């Protein structure tokens, strides 16, 4: 419990640093938001009034603490272009991205674990070569190209699945699941290749250790040795890769969301950048950074569950 409390306390300065970086980076972008909103034809009086309304006439430090004070209460500001709370915009878009991230990760682990374990156990056989070749191919193929090919085959040629048309799960679960199959497969296949390679490599290191030979000498069969002893010890680098993967997916699915017309979080950021809605960009990036910090926190906790030596402050390899 103390390990979890210590990790939670450590996230506070990290989140504070993230907020400073997010606020600073947005305000370093050239261009005055008030001028962008009103255009070059605006009168000086209208320009000055809007700057006052947005708080841009205050010193940058005052602006930051004013913004931070609102953020801790859940107020991320009002969208400059849509004139609605940024928190509402994010909450409208985030569920689709979270659903796509979960679906992608499920596809990845359902493929990566059987393939990675078989490739490690049958090292040097046709199973290992086939799995490794497929993984390298999956890592080399761009997700957008794979998505386009899937749309042509599954949606256009055979009409088995819809090519787009996202429907929230709460409105129509069947249509939602049908619409999410292709996006999850398009991104999940590539991510499964990354996980499979990591799991195979980690398992090969573990199966050569003395405790595995001891387990086999005691008469344990191969399946119990791998699943009961080797797999857990091989999970630390896999969990690390999984955490980085999930963190990347939460903010990096904009291409997949664009191809399949999913109104997700990534598209919101890109659309806001093009509209120069810096309030929405600022809030969305902050939320994205917080999600990454939370994912890393969960990964750290999983480390302690998998390997108690980490909880005690020792390295996994010690």
């Amino acid at each position: 419990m103390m390990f979890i409390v210590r990790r939670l306390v450590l996230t506070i300065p990290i989140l504070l640093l993230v907020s400073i970086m997010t606020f600073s980076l947005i305000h370093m972008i050239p261009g005055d938001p008030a001028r962008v909103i009103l255009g070059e034809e605006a009168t000086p009086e209208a320009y000055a009034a809007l700057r006052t309304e947005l708080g841009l006439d205050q010193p940058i430090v005052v602006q930051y603490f004013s913004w931070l004070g609102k953020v801790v209460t859940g107020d991320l500001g009002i969208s400059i272009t849509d004139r609605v709370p940024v928190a509402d915009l994010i909450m409208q878009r985030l569920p689709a991205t979270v659903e796509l991230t979960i679906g992608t990760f499920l596809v990845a682990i359902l493929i990566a674990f059987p393939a990675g374990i078989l490739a490690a156990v049958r090292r040097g056989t046709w199973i290992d070569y086939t799995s490794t070749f497929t993984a390298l191919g999956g890592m080399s193929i761009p997700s957008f190209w794979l998505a386009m090919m899937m749309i042509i085959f599954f949606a256009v040629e055979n009409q088995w699945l819809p090519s787009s048309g996202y429907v929230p799960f709460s409105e129509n679960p069947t249509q939602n699941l049908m619409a999410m199959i292709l996006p999850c497969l398009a991104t999940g296949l590539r991510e499964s290749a990354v996980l499979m390679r990591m799991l195979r490599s980690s398992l090969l290191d573990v199966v050569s250790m003395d405790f595995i030979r001891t387990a086999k000498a005691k008469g344990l069969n191969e399946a119990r040795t791998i699943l009961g002893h080797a797999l857990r010890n091989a999970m630390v680098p896999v969990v690390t890769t999984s955490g980085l993967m999930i963190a990347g997916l939460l903010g990096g699915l904009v291409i997949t969301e664009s191809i399949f017309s999913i109104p997700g979080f990534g598209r919101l950021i890109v659309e806001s950048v093009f509209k120069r809605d810096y309030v929405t960009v600022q809030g969305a990036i902050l939320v994205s950074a917080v999600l990454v910090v939370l994912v890393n926190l969960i990964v750290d906790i999983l480390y302690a569950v998998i390997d108690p030596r980490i909880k005690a402050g020792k390295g996994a390899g010690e």
Side-chain angles (χ1 to χ4, degrees):
M1 181 60 72
M2 285 305 297
F3 172 78
I4 296 175
V5 172
R6 190 165 60 244
R7 295 299 300 152
L8 285 172
V9 172
L10 284 175
T11 60
I12 295 175
I14 294 174
L15 291 175
L16 190 61
L17 181 62
V18 165
S19 72
I20 294 173
M21 293 179 65
T22 303
F23 186 84
S24 302
L25 288 174
I26 291 297
H27 283 72
M28 288 171 63
I29 297 175
D32 190 318
R35 185 66 68 188
V36 172
I37 296 170
L38 295 176
E40 297 298 329
E41 304 299 325
T43 62
E45 292 78 13
Y47 174 69
L50 185 57
R51 282 184 59 81
T52 302
E53 179 186 343
L54 297 176
L56 299 175
D57 58 336
Q58 300 292 323
I60 191 72
V61 176
V62 176
Q63 291 184 44
Y64 168 72
F65 282 106
S66 175
W67 173 73
L68 186 62
K70 295 178 181 176
V71 165
V72 296
T73 64
D75 181 5
L76 298 176
I78 303 296
S79 167
I80 292 176
T81 55
D82 297 324
R83 306 307 294 173
V84 297
V86 172
D88 291 350
L89 284 176
I90 292 174
M91 290 309 296
Q92 290 171 7
R93 300 294 193 96
L94 198 55
T97 297
V98 170
E99 185 181 357
L100 182 55
T101 299
I102 293 173
T104 297
F105 187 63
L106 285 176
V107 170
I109 60 175
L110 287 175
I111 296 174
F113 271 69
I117 292 173
L118 282 175
V121 173
R122 298 289 180 261
R123 183 183 184 184
T125 65
W126 67 270
I127 296 176
D128 183 21
Y129 294 138
T130 303
S131 300
T132 303
F133 178 79
T134 305
L136 289 173
M139 294 166 66
S140 304
I141 297 174
S143 297
F144 73 88
W145 183 85
L146 189 59
M148 299 298 292
M149 294 301 104
M150 285 184 171
I151 288 175
I152 293 173
F153 182 78
F154 290 103
V156 178
E157 297 291 339
N158 295 292
Q159 299 182 350
W160 292 334
L161 294 167
S163 62
S164 62
Y166 175 78
V167 178
F169 185 83
S170 57
E171 292 183 11
N172 191 321
T174 303
Q175 284 189 21
N176 171 270
L177 294 176
M178 293 292 286
M180 295 301 284
I181 289 176
L182 287 183
C184 293
L185 282 175
T187 48
L189 289 176
R190 186 181 187 283
E191 302 299 340
S192 70
V194 178
L195 271 187
M196 178 265 168
R197 292 280 296 167
M198 179 58 66
L199 181 59
R200 175 186 178 276
S201 174
S202 182
L203 264 179
L204 286 177
D205 289 338
V206 173
V207 295
S208 63
M209 292 182 176
D210 291 339
F211 75 95
I212 295 297
R213 285 194 287 270
T214 303
K216 290 180 178 177
K218 288 181 177 179
L220 288 181
N221 59 40
E222 188 174 46
R224 289 189 62 184
T225 304
I226 295 298
L227 299 178
H229 297 276
L231 187 58
R232 177 170 179 168
N233 288 276
M235 283 300 293
V236 170
V238 177
V239 168
T240 303
T241 305
S242 300
L244 294 173
M245 178 188 299
I246 293 173
L249 289 172
L250 285 170
L253 287 170
V254 61
I255 295 177
T256 304
E257 290 174 354
S258 299
I259 292 175
F260 292 98
S261 300
I262 298 174
F265 187 62
R267 286 183 67 189
L268 173 66
I269 297 177
V270 173
E271 291 167 1
S272 300
V273 168
F274 281 120
K275 292 188 290 189
R276 299 192 179 184
D277 186 349
Y278 87 95
V279 178
T280 302
V281 175
Q282 193 169 259
I285 291 177
L286 180 65
V287 170
S288 179
V290 170
L291 290 175
V292 171
V293 171
L294 291 177
V295 169
N296 284 324
L297 174 64
I298 294 171
V299 168
D300 285 347
I301 294 173
L302 287 176
Y303 284 160
V305 174
I306 295 170
D307 190 344
R309 293 173 300 174
I310 296 176
K311 182 166 56 178
K314 298 179 180 179
E318 295 177 10

